Amino acid sequence: MDFKEVLFKRRSKRSFIDKEVEDDKIQKLLEAAMAAPSAHNKQPWQFIVIKDNETMDKIMGFHNYSKMLKEAPVAIAVCGDKNAYKDFWVQDCSAATQNLLLMAENLGLGAVWLGMYPVEEYYPKLADLLELPDNIIPLNIIAVGYSDKESKRRDRYDENKVHYEKFNNN
């Protein structure tokens, strides 16, 4: 699949078929995530690969929008080290997440971003569950698997959201 097709076809996938994700594909997802741009090249990301159903059940117990973890064979918690570069860890880990999502589409996988940070009801509970040190904050969890749905290209370009030089100076 060429890059443009990956970009325009990527969608959040919330249901998965009963098929394990191969370890080499998980490795490629992580490599893509770590290829993301990073402010001052601090690379504050840390990743927790989750395959344990009991852990996923516990996450579903406190995260209201995580039901897809019931079917997902793997989830990846994208975390940031606030000590690495406290002002930009969220942006850096968001860029890593986007790379991971695009690579999932490229590999024929489905994935969805489940937000954690800054929701107080979510991220501290995930940090406790995953036994994260105090400086490591979970930004999100990405549910990954083989989707039961095909993505269709969608163009969201909106000329009204483009401004030149100043806002509303079209």
Side-chain angles (χ1 to χ4, degrees):
M1 200 176 324
D2 76 354
F3 182 71
K4 189 173 180 182
E5 186 177 353
V6 168
L7 228 123
F8 285 106
K9 283 183 74 176
R10 197 219 66 79
R11 292 286 162 272
S12 295
K13 303 286 179 49
R14 294 176 175 83
S15 57
F16 307 100
I17 62 173
D18 187 18
K19 182 179 177 184
E20 292 298 313
V21 176
E22 299 86 346
D23 288 341
D24 65 309
K25 288 190 176 184
I26 294 170
Q27 180 71 26
K28 288 176 182 174
L29 294 173
L30 296 168
E31 288 172 3
M34 292 185 215
S38 171
H40 295 274
N41 199 29
K42 294 293 184 181
Q43 302 175 33
W45 41 69
Q46 298 287 329
F47 303 91
I48 313 291
V49 177
I50 304 164
K51 294 183 179 181
D52 181 62
N53 290 331
E54 188 176 313
T55 301
M56 298 224 211
D57 286 343
K58 288 178 181 176
I59 294 166
M60 289 186 291
F62 64 81
H63 193 295
N64 297 334
Y65 304 99
S66 64
K67 303 298 182 255
M68 69 288 297
L69 291 175
K70 192 75 172 164
E71 296 177 356
V74 66
I76 300 173
V78 180
C79 307
D81 182 347
K82 65 182 181 180
N83 291 346
Y85 202 36
K86 69 176 182 160
D87 294 331
F88 290 101
W89 74 267
V90 171
Q91 293 89 330
D92 288 357
C93 291
S94 295
T97 299
Q98 180 69 356
N99 276 14
L100 192 154
L101 292 169
L102 290 170
M103 181 56 80
E105 181 70 31
N106 188 58
L107 295 172
L109 298 168
V112 62
W113 176 329
L114 305 170
M116 285 287 167
Y117 182 85
V119 182
E120 291 286 337
E121 302 89 60
Y122 297 162
Y123 81 89
K125 291 177 182 172
L126 184 62
D128 287 344
L129 180 63
L130 300 179
E131 300 177 6
L132 302 177
D134 291 341
N135 59 304
I136 306 296
I137 309 296
L139 178 67
N140 60 55
I141 291 180
I142 308 302
V144 181
Y146 286 93
S147 178
D148 60 355
K149 295 185 168 90
E150 180 68 27
S151 293
K152 292 183 180 143
R153 180 187 162 96
R154 186 167 59 180
D155 187 353
R156 294 181 173 176
Y157 183 78
D158 182 352
E159 184 74 27
N160 295 315
K161 296 187 182 239
V162 179
H163 310 275
Y164 293 92
E165 307 304 335
K166 296 181 183 175
F167 195 84
N168 283 331
N169 200 24
N170 294 334

